[in-house]
Amino acid sequence: MHSPRVAAANRARLELQRLYDYYLRTMCGLLPSTPHRILLSELGLLPLQVLWWQQTLRFWNSLAALPVGSFYHTVCLDNITDAFRGGCLQYGQLCGGLLAFSGL
C-alpha cells in the first residue's frame, strides 16, 4: 500500500496527463474518443512520463558532473540525507540508487 503522498502524486500525474491529452486533442480538432497513443504517435510526441524521466536523468547527469564539494553538490547530498532521515522511503531509495549509479 502506498502512502497518502504517493497516492496524491499519482492522482496529480494522471490529471496532468488528461489535461495534456485534452489540449492536444483540442489543438488538433480531434474527438475526445481518439486514443492517447494514436494522438501522441501522429504528433510525434512522447508521453509525459517519458519526458519527466528524461528530465530527471538529465538533472542527475548534470549533478554527477559537478565537482565534489561545490555548492549544488553539497545541497543535493543534504537533501538526500534529509529524505532518508525523514522516512521518505521511495524518494530515498530512488536517490540512493541514482547516487550509487552516478558516483556522487
Side-chain angles (χ1 to χ4, degrees):
M1 179 96 186
H2 292 296
S3 72
R5 287 184 196 173
V6 173
N10 285 336
R11 282 192 303 275
R13 181 183 52 82
L14 290 173
E15 185 59 33
L16 283 172
Q17 185 67 55
R18 279 192 281 269
L19 187 62
Y20 181 63
D21 289 348
Y22 170 78
Y23 281 117
L24 291 176
R25 285 185 181 102
T26 302
M27 287 188 301
C28 296
L30 299 174
L31 296 173
S33 59
T34 305
H36 168 76
R37 290 179 188 250
I38 291 176
L39 175 66
L40 294 178
S41 177
E42 287 295 320
L43 294 172
L45 297 174
L46 296 170
L48 282 180
Q49 192 168 8
V50 172
L51 296 174
W52 292 333
W53 274 110
Q54 285 178 336
Q55 291 298 318
T56 300
L57 293 174
R58 189 173 294 136
F59 171 74
W60 278 103
N61 284 335
S62 68
L63 284 178
L66 290 174
V68 174
S70 70
F71 174 75
Y72 292 114
H73 183 268
T74 305
V75 168
C76 175
L77 291 178
D78 186 53
N79 285 341
I80 292 168
T81 303
D82 289 346
F84 279 120
R85 288 184 189 152
C88 187
L89 190 58
Q90 292 85 8
Y91 176 73
Q93 286 175 337
L94 173 66
C95 291
L98 285 172
L99 278 177
F101 177 74
S102 66
L104 282 178

